[in-house]
Amino acid sequence: MEPTQKKDIEGRADIARLIRAFYTHAMADELIGPFFTEIAAINLEEHLPVMYDFWENLLFQTGGYRGGMMQKHFALDEKRKLAPEHFERWLELFEREVDRQFQGPKAEEAKRRARSIVPSMQIKMNRYFLPMSWFTN
């Protein structure tokens, strides 16, 4: 009997399943879980649709995500420093969840996009590289 082949990420329903499972694991993770559960203390049911928009926009160019990600991470970093190992763990958990559920071009693109988010965020977290307009309200 042939092993069951996983399908590719095809739309918002797949993204929702992926992101919900990822957050379930991330929030329970010893290293990065406290960022979600204690420091940011996110309301998961409010946060998830925003993340669905973010990933749907990245993978399918829907235009549904309205931004603001970096400011939220700056605020988080002020409460507790986001270190390279936190980003590495986030990526490890994200890629593991993609691989657990999906395979195909969009699944590979999701992992590629996640890999590009990590260094981009790390550079931006070093505020010396950003224009001052990012920090005025």
Side-chain angles (χ1 to χ4, degrees):
M1 182 163 191
E2 299 264 333
T4 305
Q5 184 148 357
K6 298 173 199 168
K7 70 178 197 123
D8 201 2
I9 298 169
E10 297 173 353
R12 190 173 180 93
D14 292 335
I15 289 167
R17 193 172 82 233
L18 168 66
I19 299 305
R20 182 173 287 279
F22 163 74
Y23 271 93
T24 299
H25 296 296
M27 291 176 78
D29 186 75
E30 188 175 299
L31 181 62
I32 65 171
F35 282 96
F36 299 105
T37 60
E38 297 166 25
I39 301 158
I42 64 169
N43 176 324
L44 191 59
E45 294 312 311
E46 289 177 9
H47 186 65
L48 285 174
V50 175
M51 292 296 91
Y52 303 161
D53 289 347
F54 176 80
W55 284 100
E56 188 178 30
N57 188 51
L58 277 181
L59 297 176
F60 298 101
Q61 297 75 48
T62 59
Y65 180 69
R66 295 291 169 236
M69 175 179 66
M70 284 311 303
Q71 282 74 13
K72 291 175 182 147
H73 287 85
F74 289 147
L76 189 58
D77 188 58
E78 286 179 11
K79 293 178 182 179
R80 184 179 296 167
K81 187 76 177 145
L82 288 163
E85 59 267 20
H86 299 128
F87 290 100
E88 290 164 15
R89 184 65 175 155
W90 175 88
L91 181 60
E92 177 186 343
L93 292 173
F94 185 83
E95 288 186 326
R96 182 185 302 164
E97 194 57 42
V98 171
D99 289 341
R100 191 180 74 76
Q101 293 193 42
F102 300 101
Q103 70 180 32
K106 285 293 180 187
E108 291 305 312
E109 182 180 351
K111 293 188 296 184
R112 230 180 3 263
R113 297 281 190 155
R115 286 183 214 119
S116 73
I117 288 169
V118 168
S120 172
M121 284 191 68
Q122 287 177 313
I123 289 169
K124 289 174 183 174
M125 295 309 272
N126 183 346
R127 298 173 189 206
Y128 296 110
F129 294 113
L130 297 174
M132 289 304 294
S133 62
W134 275 52
F135 307 104
T136 57
N137 286 334

